[in-house]
Amino acid sequence: MATIDETKAAEGSDEAPKYKVIGTRPIRHDGADKVTGRALYGADIKVKGMIYGAILRSPHAHANIKSIDISKAEALPGVRAVATSADLPEPGDKIAELGEGSVILNHLSSNNLARTKVLYKGHAVAAVAADNLHIAQEAASLIEVEYEVLPPVMDVLKAMEDSAPVLNPDVRTEEASTGEKGDKPSNIAKHIIFEKGDLQKGFAEAEHIIEREFRTATVHQGYIEPHVATALWNNDGQITVWTSTQGTFSVRQQVAELLDVPLARVKVVPAEIGGGFGGKISVYLAPVAAVLSRKSGAPVQLVMDRADVLEATGPTPGSAIKIKMGVDADGRITAADAWMAYEAGGYPGSPIGAGAMCVFSCYDIPNGRVEGFDVCVNKPRTNAYRAPGATNAAFATETVVDELCEILGMEPVDFRLLNASKEGTRRIDGVTYPRIGLVETLEAIKNSEHYKTPLTGKNQGRGIGSGFWFNAGLKSAVTATVNSDGSVGLLEGSTDIGGSRTAIAMQFAEALGLAAEDIKPAVVDTDSVGYTDVTGGSRVTYATGWAAYEAAQDLKRQIVSRAAELWEVDPGQVSYEDGSVIGPDKSMTFKEIAVELSTTGEPLVGRGVSNHNEPGGAFGTHLVDVEVDPDTGKVDILRYTAAQDCGTAIHPAYVEGQIQGGAVQGIGWGLNEEYWYDEEGSMRNANFLDYRIPTCYDLPMIDAIIVEVPNPGHPFGVRGVGEVPIVPPPAALEAAIHNAVDVRLYELPMSPPRVLHELLKKES
Amino acid sequence: MPRLFIPPSLRPFCEGEEEVNVEGATVLEAVQSLDQQYPGVMERLCPEGKLRAGIAVTVDQNVTPRGLAQKVSSDSEIHFLPAIGGG
């Protein structure tokens, strides 16, 4: 896939220093294994004596479990173990911090194997391990579960009604900032409010006000590789888990907490990972496989099929959002008000907090209010999905902004430039921005060839949308071992989803004055490297890259000290510059000194850690051209350009790939993807034929414009990349459809039936 | 003096104030100072002297990994916001 070969540094800046390694495009270290099929993914793991598991899942969306009879399954020849929730310890109401967030352990445990209730169709109820998969599946089908079927609650607004059946008797509505809880069970798990300025005064000052209501569908991350876990609970009490995950240390903690075993007894070995996008942080299989292993005495492998993935792992929430915005006659925003209800799924934990902080994040708004609700419904427990909560919010806000632009007669890009958030802008939740690059992305779009090329065809339209994501810092650790030939083995704990091991190796190489090819990065198990938080939050290139930078500094200090000793000079007379150690009389390259030191003393091992949280925040602006078929409502994308502030692009090809991938997922979310439930709460499109993610036939080239406004909170100016590009697409598409055929859509996805419905309504 | 921004649902306990100037060299001391002005607020914001699960502290634009132990300067801004995760 070609991309626009142009990187835009902040105008007039000395903010974009030149590097030797950073900004180049070396061949990725994991490339050969992946393109030849030799890379080992989760299901490729084979452990001696391994047996296979199958899980019995609920046929009901909402039901009490009255009894479970496993006797017939246990009696089937070849069955080695059967497990239910009775085999998992009772965690009580304990809350576990998982690096990127917290979880009520009782809910997490019940999501792995249901205790007293099932809360969505596909909810795991029992598990079997057998000599082969066929026996395991047959045995699972012999487990007899008696249910008391309850009415499902599938709609977020209906779930909020007082008369709605309550999913979780232990959930009370909690005020987010005070912790005060309601006095009766409720499907509303959390309530959040942000306020700034005087909302009434702001609307009174407005010349134009638009107020709209929006709905967005439940959508899945759609990673290609299904969930898989292999576990061995050894006789010595040690548990080893092999799995594809975004966070080995997070899996270690979840397994330890859910099984109530010491952390040190759990080792998690990462496999390569075929996509995650936030969906491979929570555990679904590992604790169950471990319990089956303990009962059977053999390593057990559990693999989901596609229906399991869609029905029983965490999608991103459907939502209901109301937005009201006012502008003065010059187009300045005077006030904005948002009401947002996000579906949490069966257990609390939707990304409503992030959605509420992101909903007006692109704009400098003097008076604002945001109210958010986390709401349980009978769908799978939601999980993170690229900028969780932000896409729903941006779809609503950006659509209202587009309508305001229409009333004002302003170019949407000019309206955004007039009102854009910038350094010092205070968000409605109160925080001010550091140096950010939204304006630069708008200018990049405005200056693009795409923007300057007019549309000429019938039923064609152009739309623009902007989006924001915070990015995260958190903890990372890296170990660097210098080999006797001057190469370096770089051990890291960040599982590599988007090419991060190369991006981290490049930062290490840059800091030491080496070539990327001199570094051999490896993602290792939890016993082999320091604690590292999840690969998520757009944090890995930022935080693990920083740890690699620190490891390089550590090595430099050691090399200077050792060289001084070797040369019998004062350490103050020795320095490390541009890949060489320099003394008063001589200098040696890194490789030369590495060879020398390998024979004259202890091994050179560097360590680097980071726990910095100045990730800077990132913005993107997308421009899209569409053509709408008025007979069918089908939307074809003609051209797409995405501009994003990446701080500093370490490996531009990966940055472009992240932007393109995120945009494609946002396009799928915008035009086709949705969970279809029947009245009983059963998902009717739990396969990739009927759950329509975009294919190459649905997409044009996604032109990626990398904007570089270096983040002052990182040694190389890195910001996160992976999440922002999913935020603007649905809103940009809505504006484009409106400009093409003069209808407005307030519900996602904007699939052919919905577009056609609006077209027919307009005609009538 | 550091400025501690009061979350909206806590403002009724702080006479409606949106932000309060507080004493202290750490976030914890800042909250203790707030509690001296408005007794009972600390228990709501940080029960038993700990951050409640799901809440993050932002000091001067960034979520701090050190939570209540984060040092603050005389011109720092302190916010309490929902903790977020990424994808």
Side-chain angles (χ1 to χ4, degrees):
Chain A
M1 192 181 267
T3 54
I4 294 175
D5 190 17
E6 186 176 7
T7 298
K8 301 197 181 287
E11 188 178 349
S13 93
D14 47 349
E15 291 179 295
K18 294 297 176 195
Y19 298 110
K20 290 185 175 174
V21 179
I22 289 170
T24 65
R25 302 177 185 229
I27 294 171
R28 59 193 296 166
H29 297 82
D30 53 330
D33 280 351
K34 285 185 173 167
V35 299
T36 57
R38 293 195 179 93
L40 295 177
Y41 290 82
D44 296 320
I45 301 299
K46 303 296 174 202
V47 183
K48 187 174 173 61
M50 191 176 84
I51 60 175
Y52 299 85
I55 289 183
L56 176 70
R57 297 183 180 278
S58 167
H60 306 295
H62 193 190
N64 286 322
I65 298 173
K66 298 178 75 174
S67 66
I68 303 175
D69 182 351
I70 60 173
S71 58
K72 289 180 182 170
E74 285 183 315
L76 189 70
V79 169
R80 305 273 290 274
V82 182
T84 67
S85 61
D87 295 294
L88 294 175
E90 283 269 9
D93 57 359
K94 188 178 172 191
I95 295 174
E97 296 287 349
L98 297 176
E100 262 213 313
S102 58
V103 65
I104 298 170
L105 282 171
N106 185 35
H107 292 165
L108 185 62
S109 178
S110 296
N111 201 40
N112 276 246
L113 283 174
R115 291 187 183 277
T116 56
K117 289 186 85 175
V118 288
L119 294 174
Y120 51 89
K121 194 224 171 215
H123 197 156
V125 174
V128 178
D131 290 340
N132 64 50
L133 181 60
H134 304 293
I135 297 172
Q137 289 174 333
E138 185 181 350
S141 72
L142 295 174
I143 297 172
E144 294 174 352
V145 184
E146 188 181 356
Y147 294 102
E148 178 196 3
V149 179
L150 302 169
V153 186
M154 306 304 294
D155 180 89
V156 65
L157 295 180
K158 288 181 179 171
M160 297 176 77
E161 294 173 358
D162 284 342
S163 58
V166 173
L167 274 66
N168 294 288
D170 63 328
V171 170
R172 310 281 193 278
T173 305
E174 178 184 330
E175 285 295 331
S177 51
T178 66
E180 293 187 333
K181 290 189 176 180
D183 56 3
K184 61 179 182 180
S186 172
N187 292 327
I188 302 172
K190 191 166 281 188
H191 178 225
I192 294 171
I193 294 181
F194 301 129
E195 287 174 344
K196 175 189 172 191
D198 185 335
L199 196 67
Q200 286 189 330
K201 174 173 162 284
F203 279 121
E205 291 169 356
E207 181 79 12
H208 306 287
I209 295 173
I210 295 282
E211 187 172 8
R212 296 286 181 257
E213 296 184 13
F214 299 85
R215 297 301 297 261
T216 71
T218 306
V219 295
H220 198 272
Q221 298 87 345
Y223 32 79
I224 299 303
E225 185 199 23
H227 291 258
V228 53
T230 307
L232 170 62
W233 195 322
N234 213 356
N235 291 338
D236 60 3
Q238 302 293 320
I239 300 171
T240 304
V241 174
W242 296 263
T243 190
S244 295
T245 174
Q246 291 179 240
T248 50
F249 288 88
S250 177
V251 170
R252 182 181 71 167
Q253 188 187 347
Q254 290 177 80
V255 169
E257 298 267 18
L258 293 179
L259 300 179
D260 196 20
V261 298
L263 201 68
R265 286 198 189 163
V266 182
K267 179 171 86 171
V268 179
V269 185
E272 294 292 352
I273 178 170
F277 313 110
K280 286 183 183 163
I281 298 172
S282 282
V283 294
Y284 302 95
L285 301 175
V288 181
V291 165
L292 289 170
S293 176
R294 183 182 56 184
K295 295 184 87 170
S296 65
V300 175
Q301 185 169 85
L302 280 165
V303 185
M304 287 190 182
D305 63 21
R306 185 59 57 187
D308 293 345
V309 171
L310 288 165
E311 290 185 330
T313 67
T316 200
S319 59
I321 300 173
K322 298 175 193 173
I323 298 287
K324 181 180 178 184
M325 294 180 79
V327 291
D328 66 18
D330 297 327
R332 287 194 180 276
I333 299 171
T334 60
D337 189 9
W339 184 97
M340 315 169 74
Y342 279 22
E343 294 172 353
Y347 300 101
S350 78
I352 185 61
M357 286 191 277
C358 284
V359 66
F360 296 130
S361 53
C362 289
Y363 300 101
D364 187 353
I365 298 171
N367 306 290
R369 185 175 193 275
V370 180
E371 184 170 19
F373 299 89
D374 180 35
V375 185
C376 294
V377 295
N378 288 117
K379 297 181 182 178
R381 178 180 178 270
T382 56
N383 255 314
Y385 179 15
R386 265 185 148 144
T391 302
N392 318 41
F395 170 62
T397 297
E398 295 291 275
T399 298
V400 169
V401 162
D402 200 62
E403 288 198 56
L404 288 169
C405 293
E406 194 177 12
I407 290 177
L408 291 161
M410 279 182 81
E411 273 291 295
V413 71
D414 291 332
F415 177 91
R416 285 172 171 83
L417 283 167
L418 180 68
N419 289 288
S421 293
K422 42 185 88 67
E423 184 172 5
T425 296
R426 189 177 294 283
R427 289 200 311 257
I428 305 228
D429 54 275
V431 178
T432 57
Y433 284 113
R435 180 75 171 97
I436 52 174
L438 172 59
V439 166
E440 286 79 357
T441 69
L442 289 161
E443 289 170 342
I445 286 292
K446 193 172 182 180
N447 293 325
S448 69
E449 186 197 341
H450 182 172
Y451 189 84
K452 293 173 182 171
T453 305
L455 279 168
T456 54
K458 195 178 175 188
N459 298 318
Q460 294 181 353
R462 174 170 293 167
I464 190 171
S466 294
F468 162 77
W469 185 250
F470 308 88
N471 302 332
L474 304 176
K475 298 172 190 163
S476 287
V478 159
T479 305
T481 302
V482 179
N483 299 315
S484 58
D485 64 352
S487 63
V488 181
L490 200 64
L491 305 184
E492 55 191 84
S494 293
T495 49
D496 181 353
I497 303 180
S500 61
R501 79 190 95 192
T502 296
I504 292 160
M506 289 171 71
Q507 293 179 71
F508 179 83
E510 182 75 48
L512 269 179
L514 306 179
E517 293 78 8
D518 292 329
I519 317 303
K520 191 174 181 183
V523 181
V524 294
D525 65 68
T526 50
D527 283 358
S528 305
V529 70
Y531 179 87
T532 298
D533 275 309
V534 297
T535 295
S538 297
R539 63 168 291 277
V540 171
T541 305
Y542 170 85
T544 311
W546 196 326
Y549 171 86
E550 293 295 346
Q553 306 311 313
D554 186 25
L555 277 179
K556 281 185 196 175
R557 286 189 290 270
Q558 292 181 49
I559 289 169
V560 165
S561 172
R562 297 274 296 277
E565 193 178 328
L566 192 69
W567 296 337
E568 297 180 339
V569 298
D570 188 277
Q573 295 178 286
V574 182
S575 62
Y576 191 98
E577 296 169 27
D578 201 20
S580 295
V581 59
I582 300 163
D585 304 320
K586 62 169 77 173
S587 70
M588 297 176 85
T589 65
F590 179 87
K591 285 195 178 186
E592 289 168 342
I593 193 77
V595 172
E596 186 72 25
L597 294 180
S598 70
T599 61
T600 58
E602 63 271 22
L604 271 175
V605 179
R607 65 176 288 277
V609 294
S610 71
N611 191 15
H612 302 278
N613 266 34
E614 305 98 61
F619 289 83
T621 299
H622 292 199
L623 186 69
V624 60
D625 297 343
V626 304
E627 183 172 305
V628 181
D629 182 339
D631 295 325
T632 64
K634 183 174 185 296
V635 177
D636 286 318
I637 300 175
L638 305 175
R639 188 169 183 178
Y640 202 106
T641 302
Q644 185 173 318
D645 173 23
C646 303
T648 298
I650 301 297
H651 193 305
Y654 294 170
V655 173
E656 289 157 358
Q658 289 286 329
I659 294 172
Q660 290 161 337
V664 167
Q665 289 187 310
I667 289 167
W669 192 341
L671 295 183
N672 283 302
E673 294 182 38
E674 64 179 319
Y675 275 42
W676 267 91
Y677 284 100
D678 61 21
E679 288 184 354
E680 282 75 43
S682 179
M683 185 183 180
R684 302 303 294 268
N685 60 336
N687 59 72
F688 271 163
L689 187 63
D690 300 312
Y691 181 89
R692 279 267 291 131
I693 63 174
T695 72
C696 59
Y697 296 108
D698 302 308
L699 298 163
M701 234 298 284
I702 308 291
D703 287 325
I705 302 176
I706 298 172
V707 174
E708 293 189 299
V709 180
N711 173 16
H714 187 273
F716 296 125
V718 170
R719 297 178 195 269
V721 172
E723 293 176 284
V724 178
I726 202 172
V727 183
L733 285 162
E734 196 285 331
I737 293 168
H738 168 69
N739 290 328
V741 290
D742 194 27
V743 296
R744 285 283 178 192
L745 288 113
Y746 302 111
E747 184 170 4
L748 294 182
M750 297 172 288
S751 53
R754 289 212 175 91
V755 175
L756 188 61
H757 180 268
E758 295 305 313
L759 286 169
L760 293 173
K761 197 165 76 176
K762 186 181 77 167
E763 283 179 16
S764 65
Chain B
M1 292 169 81
R3 297 159 68 194
L4 197 155
F5 284 69
I6 313 295
S9 55
L10 204 58
R11 289 175 193 164
F13 305 100
C14 302
E15 298 176 1
E17 294 291 335
E18 293 184 20
E19 58 176 274
V20 177
N21 291 325
V22 290
E23 304 280 353
T26 66
V27 174
L28 179 60
E29 290 174 7
V31 176
Q32 288 168 337
S33 168
L34 181 72
D35 194 64
Q36 286 181 350
Q37 297 179 55
Y38 304 106
V41 169
M42 181 164 171
E43 187 57 26
R44 289 186 167 86
L45 204 51
C46 312
E48 299 173 4
K50 294 178 182 173
L51 266 183
R52 189 182 307 108
I55 296 289
V57 177
T58 297
V59 175
D60 301 335
Q61 305 173 334
N62 296 302
V63 176
T64 169
R66 290 170 182 80
L68 297 177
Q70 174 66 43
K71 289 181 179 173
V72 295
S73 64
S74 58
D75 55 355
S76 283
E77 284 190 7
I78 304 166
H79 297 267
F80 289 84
L81 294 170
I84 56 162

